[in-house]
Amino acid sequence: MPGSPYPQITLVRHGETAWSRSGRHTGRSDIPLTPTGEAAARALALRLRIQSYTAVWSSPSRRAATTCELAGFGDQRAIDPDLAEWDYGAYEGRTTPAILAERPGWRLFRDGCPGGETAADVGIRADRVIARARALDADLLVFSSAHCLRVLAARWIGLPPEAGALLVLGTTSVSVLGYEHDCTEPVLRAWNG
């Protein structure tokens, strides 16, 4: 969203993969984009070029890297391990309905994953990203995955990591974190667009 007098963080969820299309939890598995995901990532170029960015950060995943590259920012990409998607541990590659069949009532943001991360774990990483972004004090473009970005947004506006459960992100969506009246009032300026 150009025009803000304050720094903004533009968040981009990676393009569609076979696992994101089928609802499988994709944390540390390196699943490539589908042709549909690649086309959507290319289409981001026009949307994202309306603004300039001091830095471009990406998760280490191939799906985020490819999305970044196809959107036209591959040459500026710096990898930030803290932007890696949630580690789903034993639930990697599983769908929520399959997990619920074995563990009724399970909720990712409340319960975490056996052998993986909790929302608090992801929140610690998100807080480090936010601290670096605030120190940068400039417009930033970030490519990552849904659950990581949802926790990052929740932490940006001062909510607990578990509040990321309230924020849904589609593939190749663009969201903007920023400020309202001054840099002491962090807000969501745009979401899931």
Side-chain angles (χ1 to χ4, degrees):
M1 295 181 65
S4 173
Y6 306 109
Q8 298 184 121
I9 304 172
T10 300
L11 307 177
V12 180
R13 182 181 174 198
H14 64 76
E16 178 192 84
T17 68
W19 282 19
S20 68
R21 183 179 56 228
S22 64
R24 294 171 69 182
H25 290 286
T26 315
R28 305 304 162 91
S29 298
D30 219 359
I31 308 299
L33 299 183
T34 62
T36 299
E38 290 176 355
R42 280 187 203 91
L44 286 171
L46 288 175
R47 291 181 67 194
L48 296 175
R49 288 285 176 194
I50 61 172
Q51 184 171 338
S52 62
Y53 307 94
T54 299
V56 178
W57 297 349
S58 171
S59 88
S61 74
R62 179 169 54 160
R63 60 193 179 273
T66 302
T67 302
C68 179
E69 182 178 322
L70 293 174
F73 296 91
D75 59 336
Q76 299 170 54
R77 176 179 178 254
I79 297 171
D80 186 339
D82 284 333
L83 289 169
E85 178 59 305
W86 197 306
D87 182 346
Y88 299 116
Y91 294 158
E92 181 75 10
R94 312 256 335 261
T95 65
T96 297
I99 296 166
L100 288 170
E102 294 176 5
R103 189 174 170 188
W106 174 79
R107 293 290 178 258
L108 173 65
F109 285 87
R110 183 190 63 213
D111 304 322
C113 301
E117 290 183 301
T118 64
D121 297 328
V122 181
I124 290 168
R125 293 192 284 113
D127 287 347
R128 290 193 298 251
V129 171
I130 290 168
R132 288 191 294 275
R134 288 190 170 137
L136 183 66
D137 195 33
D139 289 337
L140 172 64
L141 179 59
V142 171
F143 292 85
S144 189
S145 298
H147 289 135
C148 176
L149 293 175
R150 291 165 66 178
V151 171
L152 180 65
R155 295 300 301 135
W156 178 261
I157 57 175
L159 297 176
E162 296 80 6
L166 304 173
L167 304 169
V168 175
L169 282 176
T171 54
T172 58
S173 61
V174 176
S175 302
V176 181
L177 308 179
Y179 300 96
E180 188 168 16
H181 299 108
D182 60 41
C183 291
T184 66
E185 294 183 50
V187 295
L188 302 180
R189 294 186 59 81
W191 193 255
N192 199 33

